[in-house]
């Protein structure tokens, strides 16, 4: 028998599996649990954003939703759409005894109205269970609503001494298979990847997702260039163009050094994902050029290490922004 | 009540506390445990290498050593010296019931004779308890006996992107207080530190140990230079000069980049100790210059990450050599 936190963790995992394919909609997860403690319906936001997680789970549960508890990672939507009914209304019609919600939806079309409507229909609603984990899972969506741009992750494969390649440009391979497989999973969790022209010319055929079962998760591809567009690729003429991307929750910047430096210089990186190989390179290409740092003191307090784990011989290091550049 | 492994762990911790002050002697630890399970004597090799750990512990135990068990991290020495009697003889005279030894001493003056002499005197001897931990603790001494040079640790304080300073040379401070305190403990565990002339000129007054209670652990200081000697500092005219250092078990190379690169180019680094701050520097001074690497494939398999832990906001990363440069 599970408790509320345990059920919500399952709903979050379900929603997390949809990350990178639902934008501009959030990657929500929902499970319906019978009074006897059996899961009678599961749903995640479908690729493209519809149907919503609740609709999928309720459809699966059918009549078993009556009297059950629904666990959903984000407040059920309150707005009708051409693409489907409001989830709050679907839930009310299914007559669950209780709905447990991890987080309010800041989308102004919902923003509390989904929960209010459930309660007005006599359904008990609990809010806040699993809020931290749900918030992490939905961070791309929340960043887009809050800042009007995607959550931006900068990915790099580095040596101990922070090099991305030999002076010749040779960079295959800094990291091992486990790290590269993890990098593919990160791609699958992104709605779009961005590279510069150098990386495009060197690696274009490889910039997709090549993991068994994840082939259909390939994100959209964009080239950071002031030059000509390339067939099959979208174009960002500067990092600030991310503010145009209203249908991207999670953006992955893959390199190279000039592209990474441009995003850092514009203070447009929320998360740094390093795959660190236990090798020394010495003379070679550095991760970044000058992005505006003129004193060591100014470098501190901008990033916090939030994860560090082994991946075969390599290490995955995650740093998240804790403050913006002081200007 | 402790078991053999537990007692030996205490002896190893004791020996470890003497590391960096006993060369050319090994930093041994010894405890004497009564049949009732009380520690009646404790000893570590004294600063300067004499008296040995066994002599200190037996002196403390006095008559209580009779019938007790002695735990010692390295085979008791079998050779008389002007500076004291052989520990094997001291133990025989004290009449313990049993001696537990973690490791054989490869010193040709002992090399099995210490243990043989104990057994000939009717004392039970067990060998190999705690061998791995003792081996790590005594790795400087073993490296010196095996390779005719100290165990060499290269220490660096780096940003995420592997920089040691801004282009101006500004490097204070990359890391925080916890990391710097740990770096001081590493100094205290080293017999000698080496820096290049640039670091000497920038940091000379600081190259000592400044931790409460460890002031008397300051290692000898050496300058890597082809130029003039400096008062109070020994001189290494090249990294290969480490083969002259017959009285140094643990050598710490502190920088800067040219010195680190010179040691790497000569394949004279056994261990890399990184204090990694969660900062980005961008354009700045790299950790190393060209040290002979011409292909990424050749960089692999030389180092294994053996430790990674948080130190306040920073991270301590340790890499140990797993193979030498292929030439």
């Amino acid at each position: 028998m599970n408790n509320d936190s345990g059920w919500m963790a399952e709903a979050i995992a379900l929603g997390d599996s949809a990350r990178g394919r639902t934008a501009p909609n959030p990657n929500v997860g929902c499970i319906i649990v019978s009074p006897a403690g059996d899961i009678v319906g599961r749903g995640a936001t479908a690729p493209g954003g519809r149907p919503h997680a609740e609709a999928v789970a309720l459809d699966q549960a059918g009549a078993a939703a009556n009297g059950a508890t629904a666990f959903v990672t984000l407040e059920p939507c309150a707005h009708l759409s051409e693409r489907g009914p409001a989830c709050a209304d679907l839930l009310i019609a299914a007559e669950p005894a209780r709905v447990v919600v991890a987080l309010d939806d800041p989308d102004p079309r919902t923003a509390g109205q989904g929960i209010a409507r459930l309660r007005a229909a006599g359904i008990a609603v609990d809010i806040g269970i699993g809020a931290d984990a749900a918030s992490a899972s939905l961070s791309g969506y929340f960043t887009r609503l809050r800042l009007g741009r995607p959550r931006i992750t900068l990915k790099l494969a580095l040596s101990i001494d922070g090099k991305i390649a030999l002076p010749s440009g040779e960079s295959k391979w800094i990291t091992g298979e486990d790290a590269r497989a993890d990098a593919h999973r990160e791609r699958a969790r992104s709605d779009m990847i961005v590279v510069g022209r150098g990386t495009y010319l060197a690696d274009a055929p490889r910039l997709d997702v090549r993991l068994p079962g994840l082939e259909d998760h390939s994100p959209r591809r964009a080239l950071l260039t002031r030059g000509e567009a390339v067939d099959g690729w979208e174009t960002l003429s500067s990092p600030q163009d991310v503010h145009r991307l209203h249908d991207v929750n999670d953006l992955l910047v893959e390199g190279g050094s000039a592209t990474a430096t441009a995003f850092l210089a514009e203070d447009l990186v929320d998360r740094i994902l390093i795959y660190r190989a236990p090798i020394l390179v010495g003379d070679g290409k550095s991760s970044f050029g000058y992005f505006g740092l003129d004193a060591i003191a100014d470098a501190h307090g901008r990033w916090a290490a939030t994860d560090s784990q082994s991946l075969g011989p390599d290490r995955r290091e995650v740093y998240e922004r804790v403050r913006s550049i002081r200007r």
Side-chain angles (χ1 to χ4, degrees), chain A residues 51-301:
Chain A
H52 285 182
E54 299 93 320
V56 176
L58 288 170
D59 189 54
Q60 206 175 92
N66 193 310
T69 300
F71 294 85
V72 55
T73 59
L74 188 70
E75 179 182 4
C77 66
H79 57 280
L80 279 166
S81 147
E82 285 171 15
R83 299 173 66 201
C87 291
D89 297 332
L90 285 178
L91 279 162
I92 290 166
E95 298 184 15
R98 189 163 72 109
V99 176
V100 182
V101 173
L103 294 165
D104 293 323
D105 187 353
D107 184 325
R109 296 171 299 175
T110 295
Q113 296 175 63
I115 286 162
R117 204 177 299 174
L118 292 173
R119 283 182 169 151
I123 299 172
V125 181
D126 291 317
I127 305 169
I129 309 287
D132 287 349
S135 185
S137 177
L138 291 160
S139 54
Y141 171 72
F142 286 126
T143 299
R144 193 174 57 70
L145 287 199
R146 198 174 69 245
L147 301 178
R149 62 161 178 82
R151 179 167 189 253
I152 302 173
T153 293
L154 175 59
K155 184 217 102 175
L156 295 144
L158 298 184
S159 64
I160 298 170
D161 51 333
K163 300 298 182 181
I164 59 171
L166 287 178
S168 66
E170 183 194 336
S171 65
K172 292 197 171 52
W173 291 106
I174 300 276
T175 49
E177 283 181 21
D178 292 353
R180 274 141 54 204
D182 191 83
H184 277 88
R185 280 188 290 273
E186 281 288 333
R187 279 187 194 160
R189 293 163 59 79
S190 304
D191 301 291
M192 179 184 273
I193 60 173
V194 180
V195 301
R197 192 166 282 273
T199 301
Y200 166 76
L201 292 173
D203 290 339
R206 299 183 175 277
L207 293 170
D208 52 11
V209 177
R210 294 184 308 277
L211 279 184
L214 293 177
E215 296 84 354
D216 59 338
H217 283 236
S218 287
R220 290 155 57 192
R221 300 174 300 180
L223 195 60
L224 180 71
T225 180
R226 289 201 199 86
E228 249 175 280
V230 165
D231 211 35
W233 291 66
E234 299 173 53
T235 301
L236 299 181
S237 59
S238 90
Q240 292 294 350
D241 268 4
V242 295
H243 290 97
R244 287 198 295 102
L245 300 172
H246 301 302
D247 53 357
V248 176
N249 291 339
D250 286 284
L251 183 73
L252 185 65
V253 178
E254 292 239 0
S257 170
T259 299
T261 304
F263 274 86
L264 288 171
E266 298 288 331
D267 201 12
L268 284 170
V269 178
D270 301 300
R271 175 173 172 257
I272 306 170
L273 172 64
I274 308 277
Y275 297 101
R276 175 94 56 191
I279 67 170
L280 302 181
V281 168
D283 187 31
K285 287 195 192 294
S286 287
S287 325
F288 315 114
Y290 177 76
F291 57 77
L293 185 77
D294 295 313
I296 294 286
D298 295 340
H300 285 283

